[in-house]
């Protein structure tokens, strides 16, 4: 069985003889479903009852300053640090 994991999270938890390290962009959702024998359950309106929240001015300014660079660099690291991190904080 092929095990797909991120080194930082699972290195010690999995047997290294069957461990294959891959970045998120190196496999598709369909490959994950097949490899791990997953099933997909689609739920519509899951967050419909949760009201939207206006983005802060800091988030808007940060994304305005970094979004073009993140898209231009087109790497997972750039997207993570320049787009995802500001949203999380």
């Amino acid at each position: 069985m092929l095990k797909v994991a991120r080194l930082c999270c699972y290195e010690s938890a999995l047997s290294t003889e069957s461990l294959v390290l891959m970045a998120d962009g190196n496999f598709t959702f369909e490959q994950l479903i097949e490899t791990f024998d997953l099933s997909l359950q689609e739920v519509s309106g899951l967050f419909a009852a949760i009201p939207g929240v206006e983005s802060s001015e800091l988030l808007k300014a940060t994304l305005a300053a970094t979004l073009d660079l993140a898209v231009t660099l087109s790497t997972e690291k750039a997207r993570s640090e320049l787009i995802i991190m500001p949203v999380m904080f």
Side-chain angles (χ1 to χ4, degrees):
M1 174 182 216
L2 174 67
K3 293 181 181 178
V4 179
R6 288 184 162 183
L7 181 60
C8 63
C9 301
Y10 301 104
E11 181 181 22
S12 62
L14 298 174
S15 167
T16 55
E17 64 192 41
S18 61
L19 180 64
V20 176
L21 301 176
M22 300 173 70
D24 295 344
N26 290 351
F27 52 88
T28 66
F29 188 66
E30 289 76 20
Q31 288 171 319
L32 289 177
I33 290 173
E34 182 178 328
T35 301
F36 296 106
D37 193 27
L38 302 174
S39 62
L40 177 63
Q41 294 180 343
E42 294 189 37
V43 178
S44 62
L46 182 62
F47 300 105
I50 300 173
V53 177
E54 182 68 28
S55 300
S56 70
E57 292 304 316
L58 177 60
L59 177 59
K60 291 176 187 178
T62 303
L63 291 176
T66 60
L67 186 60
D68 288 340
L69 178 59
V71 171
T72 300
L73 293 175
S74 189
T75 65
E76 290 179 45
K77 184 166 180 63
R79 288 189 297 269
S80 173
E81 292 185 8
L82 300 173
I83 300 173
I84 305 302
M85 287 261 299
V87 172
M88 294 179 71
F89 293 99

